[in-house]
Amino acid sequence: QVQVAESGGGLAQFGGSLRLSCAASGSILGIYAMGWYRQAPGKQRELVAMITSIGNTNYADSVKGRFTIFRDGLKNTVYLQMNSLKPEDTAVYYCHVGAYPNYWGQGTQVTVSS
């Protein structure tokens, strides 16, 4: 049974920091990337950051320079370090495991107060 377990969401103040963690376990074949998406109320889910199995990263323009994604490949764990948080970062953050098939976490709420 595959599990995608997220943690680290919560409440932060403007300019603060949070770190999200996502651990994938179970029979997952061919993980080629892991990443984070987010969905704010009334908006579509969007890519925040992604890291491939060889360490290439991709960030949304809105988080470049503030967020950093990194992973522990041996443990199938990915982290998202979020600094200089803004109220517009408020959303439910979802971990995505790019594999065959893909998997999603249940989501973790991040709320940034002004």
Side-chain angles (χ1 to χ4, degrees):
Q1 184 176 0
V2 173
Q3 289 188 329
V4 180
E6 301 149 329
S7 61
L11 179 64
Q13 292 186 335
F14 178 82
S17 299
L18 287 172
R19 178 179 290 189
L20 305 182
S21 300
C22 171
S25 61
S27 300
I28 305 176
L29 300 179
I31 295 179
Y32 56 85
M34 294 182 71
W36 293 92
Y37 288 70
R38 67 186 181 187
Q39 187 167 18
K43 295 187 177 180
Q44 291 187 331
R45 189 174 298 189
E46 63 175 0
L47 173 69
V48 177
M50 181 170 289
I51 185 166
T52 70
S53 59
I54 59 172
N56 294 329
T57 57
N58 185 34
Y59 294 92
D61 288 342
S62 60
V63 307
K64 284 180 180 177
R66 300 188 298 122
F67 291 9
T68 303
I69 188 169
F70 55 101
R71 66 179 289 182
D72 181 339
L74 294 178
K75 297 181 180 180
N76 287 339
T77 300
V78 65
Y79 305 90
L80 185 67
Q81 178 66 42
M82 305 185 294
N83 297 329
S84 302
L85 284 163
K86 305 175 180 180
E88 49 264 44
D89 294 319
T90 296
V92 178
Y93 285 68
Y94 296 91
C95 179
H96 177 258
V97 179
Y100 305 97
N102 292 328
Y103 297 95
W104 290 92
Q106 78 284 358
T108 184
Q109 178 70 45
V110 171
T111 302
V112 183
S113 61
S114 58

